[in-house]
Amino acid sequence: MKKLLYLLMLPLLAVMVTSCDNDDKDLPNVTLSIEYSGATEQDGVLSVEQGQILYIDALKVTPAEGTKQATLGQTIYYVDGLPFYSTVLVPFATEINTTGMKIGEHTLGVRTTVYQVDKEIGFALAQFRFNVTEPTEGDTPEEGSGTLTPDVRVTDGD
């Protein structure tokens, strides 16, 4: 009787072991770029005077070479780890008013849903640093603009 029980449990064990074989997810393979204005950039760090506005003009996705088209969905922006803005509208623009922000280094984080052809849905996480500097007397500060390409980590949300 024991042998029969073991024989009946063997296929169940085989099914349990094989169900773990497909744990690798085929996540999107992309980079993000952030177009900004209202700040100057040096070595990948933005600087904006306290009281001025840092504009995120667009968030763009670029598929890795050899992969198919990708697009973005819901995007959440974080300042110093706290969510402050969410959007689903292209170009995923926002602005950060630095009035009242502490002078010094801050982080801007982005979490966006990534949809890529023939891939599972992924969530791209990126962040970059920005400095809020002392306001200067007199003339309006020189505003810069450009594009940053932060390091991106794509996850399945787990």
Side-chain angles (χ1 to χ4, degrees):
M1 183 70 170
K2 250 185 186 177
K3 287 182 184 180
L4 181 61
L5 183 62
Y6 286 130
L7 286 174
L8 290 175
M9 291 180 70
L10 201 57
L12 180 61
L13 181 61
V15 169
M16 288 173 46
V17 171
T18 58
S19 68
C20 296
D21 284 344
N22 196 13
D23 286 344
D24 293 335
K25 306 232 187 253
D26 193 15
L27 296 172
N29 188 0
V30 298
T31 58
L32 293 179
S33 59
I34 298 169
E35 295 180 2
Y36 68 88
S37 59
T40 56
E41 183 262 333
Q42 184 173 355
D43 299 326
V45 178
L46 298 179
S47 291
V48 61
E49 287 188 8
Q50 187 181 47
Q52 299 300 313
I53 296 175
L54 169 60
Y55 297 94
I56 304 301
D57 300 318
L59 180 65
K60 296 185 177 182
V61 64
T62 304
E65 189 173 326
T67 64
K68 296 183 180 178
Q69 182 179 359
T71 190
L72 300 176
Q74 182 181 20
T75 300
I76 303 170
Y77 289 97
Y78 300 81
V79 171
D80 296 332
L82 299 173
F84 81 95
Y85 184 71
S86 177
T87 184
V88 294
L89 301 176
V90 174
F92 309 102
T94 189
E95 46 188 65
I96 302 162
N97 188 340
T98 62
T99 302
M101 286 185 81
K102 186 177 103 181
I103 303 242
E105 189 174 288
H106 299 272
T107 58
L108 177 64
V110 178
R111 181 182 189 270
T112 185
T113 308
V114 181
Y115 304 97
Q116 188 172 23
V117 175
D118 294 336
K119 303 279 187 177
E120 295 187 32
I121 295 173
F123 300 93
L125 308 169
Q127 75 176 29
F128 64 92
R129 297 177 304 165
F130 70 99
N131 288 319
V132 175
T133 60
E134 291 278 350
T136 57
E137 297 290 325
D139 293 338
T140 305
E142 184 178 317
E143 292 183 357
S145 63
T147 302
L148 290 177
T149 306
D151 290 333
V152 174
R153 183 172 61 100
V154 178
T155 71
D156 63 357
D158 289 337

